[in-house]
Amino acid sequence: MKQSIVFLFVLISIYSFGQSSTISPKNIEKHISYLASDELKGRGTGTKDEQKAAQYIATFFNDLGLQPKGINGFEQPFKANLDTVHVLDARNVVGYLDNGAERTIVIGAHYDHLGEGYQRGSLDQDAKGKIHNGADDNASGVAGVLELARYYAKNGVKENHNFLFICFSAEELGLLGSKFYANNPTIDLTKVNCMLNFDMIGRFDPTKPITVGGWGTSPTWGQVIPPVMQREKMAFKIDSSGAGASDHTSFYTKKIPVLFFFTGVHSDYHRPSDDIALINFAGESQILNAVTGILNELDKLPGRLEYRETAMPMARNASFKVTMGLLLDYSFNGPGIKVDGVSKNRPGETAGIKGGDLILRLGNYTLNTIYDYMGALGKYEKGQTVEAEVQRGAEKLMLKVTF
Ligand SMILES: [Zn+2]
């Protein structure tokens, strides 16, 4: 009798382990099948279809028993500027797993995409009217957040951290949802130990390493991550910067250590062909199981994670003698480079450049990427004056920049 009880107990443990402690490809497929379906028409910011996606996420959080941490239940509404004229009503979706702990880990992904090609960002020559399903970008990341939420809500363990799960909107318009959350948090950000961001984790290729970004934002990453990835037999490469073209940037700038998981850019990126048929569900579940390994190690560490400022991408090949004092939007895809803000009394501000401007040309150099901009700066000396061609809304301006 005793023996059979022990045997039964072992069986139940194995069964419940299998049920709740690994993230299954089937569940990932279920989420992406809905979010990236034609029914949701590409989840353009502020559209009815995006609201349906938000509803799906909120219902899932609610069914898991997470606490609503938006303003209207799970939703945190905000205004997203499409351009200088059009303002969209957008919403983040926020759920909280309260373990009664002092510190919280934030887990996020953006759920908006390019809709039917009427908003900016498509790389299709003739984008309008075409559904941009965004299966990899970023239904894959949302599926990751939902399944990590399920894992931590249902594993029967009370971790030493609370977890805040956020799905952001208006990422494609310039990280607007995550910026809004970071500036209007619904929990105390000083108690946030780190933020993990998932943007495009659906195209895992076993012959190539995945990218782990934000590596330089805490010395802890270098200690905790390699052994887990080795155990999970997952090859990875690192990107040190805390500032990149996705939502972790908004938390990094609040001095929070960040991690960013990414399976890499591909020829369907920001095109209508980013479809579900190309998603590797088993590969994504492998990544997410490695992530739970990392999170479970982090959960054991006492105290606060150490934050480190990382070099901005431009510092890596910093051979220029002049700067303009501009804060740039690293998520912007051109044409031009987008200014997020200007520092006081620096050449950019003195020339009359403002936040929101697009700089199309500097002197003789056409600017489409941050690297064009750095390359151009490298050509000038202190005291030199050059012309900058600036797009401000519908207006085109010629400004004189003196370094
Ligand atoms: Zn994305």
Side-chain angles (χ1 to χ4, degrees):
M1 190 64 196
K2 204 176 165 194
Q3 257 201 338
S4 66
I5 288 172
V6 169
F7 181 62
L8 187 65
F9 178 71
V10 169
L11 252 186
I12 289 168
S13 324
I14 290 169
Y15 186 68
S16 61
F17 179 82
Q19 282 287 294
S20 64
S21 297
T22 58
I23 290 173
S24 84
K26 269 249 154 313
N27 288 332
I28 293 165
E29 183 173 359
K30 213 179 116 196
H31 300 309
I32 301 178
S33 300
Y34 178 66
L35 294 168
S37 66
D38 282 354
E39 189 194 332
L40 292 202
K41 299 194 177 70
R43 310 178 305 283
T45 293
T47 64
K48 283 233 164 354
D49 318 299
E50 191 215 35
Q51 284 179 38
K52 281 190 202 168
Q55 196 56 54
Y56 176 86
I57 296 161
T59 303
F60 189 82
F61 283 169
N62 188 54
D63 290 347
L64 290 178
L66 299 186
Q67 272 181 32
K69 276 285 177 191
I71 297 298
N72 303 333
F74 289 97
E75 293 190 3
Q76 180 192 40
F78 65 95
K79 301 280 181 199
N81 291 324
L82 179 60
D83 47 45
T84 47
V85 182
H86 301 93
V87 180
L88 306 170
D89 284 308
R91 56 199 58 72
N92 296 322
V93 188
V94 196
Y96 187 54
L97 177 61
D98 186 357
N99 283 326
E102 193 192 340
R103 282 175 250 277
T104 298
I105 293 173
V106 175
I107 294 179
H110 76 88
Y111 74 97
D112 65 298
H113 192 50
L114 307 176
E116 293 181 276
Y118 294 101
Q119 299 177 357
R120 60 176 179 261
S122 178
L123 296 174
D124 190 278
Q125 296 295 322
D126 183 24
K128 291 186 178 159
K130 292 181 185 164
I131 298 174
H132 290 60
N133 299 82
D136 185 31
D137 186 9
N138 184 30
S140 70
V142 175
V145 170
L146 299 183
E147 286 308 305
L148 288 167
R150 189 207 304 268
Y151 174 97
Y152 284 104
K154 296 293 173 194
N155 64 354
V157 177
K158 198 166 190 178
E159 286 81 15
N160 300 317
H161 287 83
N162 314 307
F163 290 92
L164 188 76
F165 300 97
I166 314 185
C167 294
F168 305 107
S169 186
E171 188 271 355
E172 303 287 11
L173 302 178
L175 319 184
L176 302 183
S178 58
K179 275 183 201 166
F180 185 83
Y181 189 86
N183 290 327
N184 304 275
T186 56
I187 62 165
D188 181 356
L189 279 194
T190 66
K191 302 288 186 192
V192 171
N193 220 1
C194 58
M195 190 271 178
L196 274 63
N197 180 34
F198 299 89
D199 193 355
M200 299 173 66
I201 54 166
R203 296 284 192 103
F204 178 60
D205 173 348
T207 67
K208 288 187 192 144
I210 68 161
T211 298
V212 179
W215 194 264
T217 63
S218 178
T220 303
W221 301 145
Q223 293 156 14
V224 164
I225 298 173
V228 175
M229 297 302 256
Q230 199 172 13
R231 192 178 73 210
E232 300 290 330
K233 298 187 176 55
M234 176 148 289
F236 69 102
K237 60 181 179 184
I238 60 169
D239 177 356
S240 287
S241 180
S246 190
D247 296 306
H248 54 289
T249 307
S250 306
F251 290 81
Y252 166 70
T253 54
K254 298 290 178 190
K255 302 202 180 306
I256 294 168
V258 296
L259 281 179
F260 167 51
F261 294 87
F262 176 50
T263 48
V265 81
H266 44 74
S267 56
D268 306 297
Y269 172 72
H270 278 205
R271 293 179 198 275
S273 53
D274 178 1
D275 281 326
I276 188 159
L278 300 164
I279 299 295
N280 179 351
F281 306 111
E284 181 168 339
S285 77
Q286 219 181 317
I287 293 168
L288 294 169
N289 285 317
V291 168
T292 60
I294 293 166
L295 285 169
N296 293 340
E297 290 303 317
L298 283 179
D299 193 54
K300 293 178 198 160
L301 301 176
R304 195 179 167 74
L305 280 190
E306 194 183 324
Y307 166 84
R308 292 258 173 96
E309 205 154 302
T310 64
M312 293 302 265
M314 64 176 68
R316 262 182 271 165
N317 38 354
S319 57
F320 42 86
K321 300 167 196 137
V322 298
T323 59
M324 287 173 66
L326 303 178
L327 182 66
L328 298 174
D329 179 349
Y330 289 92
S331 68
F332 186 69
N333 291 316
I337 57 161
K338 189 171 173 218
V339 180
D340 251 359
V342 287
S343 307
K344 288 238 172 300
N345 302 320
R346 304 290 303 282
E349 193 207 41
T350 309
I353 292 171
K354 294 183 173 163
D357 284 354
L358 303 182
I359 307 177
L360 305 173
R361 187 171 55 77
L362 190 62
N364 295 323
Y365 304 96
T366 301
L367 308 183
N368 280 314
T369 67
I370 239 93
Y371 299 100
D372 297 337
Y373 171 63
M374 282 148 40
L377 287 181
K379 304 290 194 274
Y380 299 115
E381 304 281 337
K382 264 205 160 51
Q384 230 178 321
T385 298
V386 298
E387 199 174 54
E389 185 181 337
V390 171
Q391 181 90 42
R392 182 176 298 159
E395 234 182 325
K396 213 164 248 183
L397 307 169
M398 293 294 175
L399 301 175
K400 291 249 181 281
V401 180
T402 303
F403 295 113

